[in-house]
Amino acid sequence: MFRRSFAGLAAAALFALAAPAQAADDFIIVQSTTSTQNSGLFDDLLPKFQAKTGIEVRVVAVGTGQAIKNAANGDGDVLFVHAKPAEEKFVADGDGVVRYDVMYNDFVIVGPADDPAGVAGSSDVTAALTTIAQAQAPFASRGDDSGTHKAELRLWKAAGVDAPAASGDWYRETGSGMGATLNAGTAMGAYIMTDRATWIAFGNKGDYQIAVQGDERMFNQYGIILVNPETHPGVKAELGQAFVDWVVSPEGQDAIAAYKVDGQQLFFPNAGE
Amino acid sequence: MQPDTGIIAAAMGLILSGNADLIEIVGLSLRVTLSAVILSCAIGLPLGAAVGAWRFPGRGVLAVLLNALMGLPPVVVGLAVYLMLSASGPFGPLRLLYTPTAMIIAQTILVTPIVAALTRQAIEDLQSEYGEQFASLGVGPVRRLSALLWDARVGLLTVALAGFGRAVAEVGAVMIVGGNINHVTRVMTTTIALETSKGNLQLALALGVVLLGLALVVNAAVMAVRGVSARAAHA
């Protein structure tokens, strides 16, 4: 009796394994970042693309650093991230075909309402960062090699502050995604640099407000790249290219511009400019 | 969702709303976890029983190893499975990465040591009780395993449930190998992680309550089946 039920269990397991995940094969995998996913942009954009082409887009949303590594392993058809130098290296290494500008948004530095470093209202990011460092006010960094983390490190460098040297003191590296860093940073009263899209859509703001914004050095450019089918034979080049083409087409660009949360436009299309 | 809504009430609201997305996510969670537990039992029960009942060189080392593997970190398992299934890994051509099958594989690796280690302990205890009888009756090694497993079935049900608990609550491995892709590989735990990262803490907690409820239903169902079969056996 035991053996019979045992065989039944094994058969059930094999059946579960064998059951196809999805019947259709018309899908691509896009390696992208948490900001595009958490802001809700993909939920708005992808159904429009699928309605037009019938191609299903499956998004893996991780930090830019991890997304690039995954794509460089051939685990994705399209890369859609925001770290231009790293993206250009990805293409130069032969992992990507061509990089296109897609859109931009900007970074902001958010802080608690009592503003311990006194930087609220500033539009000079390097001056603000210097003030935060001098005041030794807590600052929560992604610390995860993401696009936002890379941009933040560039700004510290421009300010002439070696913030990572204070890691564990007032400079706190969470080593996590944007949302997790916002949750942790707001809980510890720290300043946090975040992309505006994630901030507007974030649901746990507490008493936090945007402290620093409007500096053109906080410009956050997104790019899209077809993973190179010559170096990665598994890439669905035709379907992936269709998605790239649509995103940079007037139709895709209009769809990006039309996406709003709380009446605010989150991403500004700038393909081909 | 209002911040002052009770978490339990919010969870009940989620369940009662019959939200199609939620049903899909719960369904996938159950499918992945139950498949992994069934596979783990298929491997872990005979393996654990063999280590518990048979005498062979290296048996003690194997027992320690199984016990140690119960502490496998899910993220490490996820990474290892990712490297295996990646397009640039040895099993890349199977194209299993970012599918529910990949998640089942990762969870099976996590759960099998738990099933095997706990089974070994249960069978070893029984073996010391029945060993002499088996020897005097001249029962062969394979027959002995099935007899011991059958006799220990009630305890082994709890072993399977321990495996289920580990799998259903696990997020690190399925996040990496599944990719948390909407409508494809999104399960309860990865949804909770996603909502937390969006700052939707109320919703995340409510989903956690739903997950807990799911585990309760599965455990209650298994115990009910056990009760019925025990009564049938004594009837």
Side-chain angles (χ1 to χ4, degrees):
Chain A
M1 179 167 184
F2 175 79
R3 257 185 276 177
R4 202 187 324 155
S5 58
F6 186 76
L9 286 180
L14 286 176
F15 175 76
L17 270 177
Q22 297 277 312
D25 200 34
D26 271 2
F27 70 86
I28 56 169
I29 287 179
V30 175
Q31 289 283 351
S32 191
T33 76
T34 46
S35 53
T36 39
Q37 164 128 322
N38 286 8
S39 61
L41 176 69
F42 277 138
D43 293 337
D44 185 69
L45 217 53
L46 301 184
K48 292 178 182 166
F49 173 69
Q50 186 166 4
K52 187 178 164 75
T53 62
I55 302 171
E56 180 194 346
V57 179
R58 299 184 178 177
V59 178
V60 177
V62 289
T64 290
Q66 195 188 338
I68 291 176
K69 285 194 185 85
N70 288 349
N73 285 336
D75 297 321
D77 305 296
V78 172
L79 179 66
F80 189 165
V81 292
H82 61 111
K84 198 170 174 182
E87 291 160 38
E88 285 168 343
K89 183 172 180 300
F90 179 78
V91 174
D93 288 347
D95 289 318
V97 181
V98 186
R99 178 191 175 280
Y100 298 96
D101 279 337
V102 175
M103 61 192 187
Y104 68 90
N105 68 350
D106 62 343
F107 292 117
V108 297
I109 294 176
V110 298
D114 63 2
D115 190 28
V119 293
S122 168
S123 59
D124 181 341
V125 66
T126 49
L129 287 178
T130 308
T131 310
I132 289 171
Q134 278 164 357
Q136 304 209 339
F139 186 97
S141 167
R142 293 279 294 273
D144 64 347
D145 196 31
S146 59
T148 304
H149 183 223
K150 288 174 199 216
E152 181 216 306
L153 290 177
R154 277 199 300 275
L155 291 171
W156 282 115
K157 204 172 171 195
V161 177
D162 185 7
S167 185
D169 189 13
W170 58 270
Y171 186 73
R172 295 168 190 174
E173 296 171 303
T174 63
S176 325
M178 195 68 255
T181 304
L182 285 170
N183 279 327
T186 53
M188 60 174 92
Y191 290 96
I192 313 149
M193 188 171 106
T194 168
D195 61 283
R196 191 187 294 269
T198 302
W199 177 249
I200 290 173
F202 188 64
N204 187 29
K205 293 190 177 86
D207 72 341
Y208 266 58
Q209 291 161 355
I210 292 177
V212 184
Q213 62 180 324
D215 190 319
E216 63 181 23
R217 288 171 292 187
M218 296 168 90
F219 183 91
N220 181 28
Q221 179 67 46
Y222 288 77
I224 194 165
I225 305 168
L226 178 69
V227 179
N228 195 341
E230 286 176 18
T231 40
H232 302 290
V235 169
K236 295 174 183 168
E238 207 174 308
L239 302 181
Q241 188 63 49
F243 181 61
V244 173
D245 289 346
W246 184 79
V247 166
V248 301
S249 73
E251 193 184 335
Q253 295 276 292
D254 286 348
I256 291 169
Y259 180 61
K260 290 188 171 77
V261 172
D262 294 342
Q264 296 188 64
Q265 181 175 345
L266 296 191
F267 297 97
F268 299 85
N270 65 345
E273 279 176 14
Chain B
M1 195 172 301
Q2 297 300 311
D4 57 342
T5 313
I7 301 294
I8 304 284
M12 290 309 291
L14 271 176
I15 296 167
L16 294 178
S17 72
N19 182 303
D21 281 354
L22 180 70
I23 290 170
E24 182 184 308
I25 289 168
V26 168
L28 185 64
S29 273
L30 276 179
R31 190 187 135 202
V32 167
T33 300
L34 291 177
S35 302
V37 170
I38 290 167
L39 276 173
S40 300
C41 288
I43 304 166
L45 287 178
L47 176 65
V51 178
W54 294 349
R55 299 283 173 266
F56 54 89
R59 176 173 167 273
V61 175
L62 204 56
V64 170
L65 193 68
L66 284 178
N67 284 345
L69 287 178
M70 285 200 287
L72 269 177
V75 177
V76 174
V77 170
L79 254 177
V81 174
Y82 167 77
L83 291 173
M84 291 289 123
L85 300 183
S86 164
S88 44
F91 300 105
L94 296 178
R95 306 213 65 128
L96 289 177
L97 192 65
Y98 305 136
T99 66
T101 307
M103 301 158 82
I104 294 171
I105 292 171
Q107 292 203 335
T108 301
I109 293 173
L110 277 171
V111 173
T112 299
I114 296 176
V115 173
L118 297 179
T119 301
R120 180 199 62 79
Q121 189 61 57
I123 294 299
E124 200 170 88
D125 295 346
L126 266 186
Q127 160 76 16
S128 59
E129 208 174 306
Y130 294 166
E132 279 178 31
Q133 259 174 296
F134 283 141
S136 66
L137 292 170
V139 179
V142 174
R143 189 79 196 83
R144 195 161 10 138
L145 276 201
S146 55
L148 284 169
L149 280 170
W150 178 245
D151 221 60
R153 63 191 182 280
V154 174
L156 295 180
L157 215 48
T158 308
V159 169
L161 286 175
F164 173 82
R166 164 83 154 180
V168 80
E170 183 278 322
V171 61
V174 292
M175 184 70 103
I176 295 174
V177 302
N180 190 24
I181 298 168
N182 205 3
H183 303 306
V184 183
T185 56
R186 186 162 295 173
V187 291
M188 288 300 291
T189 52
T190 58
T191 307
I192 293 169
L194 176 65
E195 291 305 333
T196 305
S197 79
K198 286 179 174 173
N200 297 330
L201 305 189
Q202 287 270 330
L203 178 57
L205 259 181
L207 286 165
V209 173
V210 174
L211 180 62
L212 204 61
L214 194 66
L216 262 175
V217 168
V218 169
N219 275 275
V222 169
M223 284 305 153
V225 168
R226 189 187 121 182
V228 168
S229 65
R231 271 198 297 281
H234 291 117

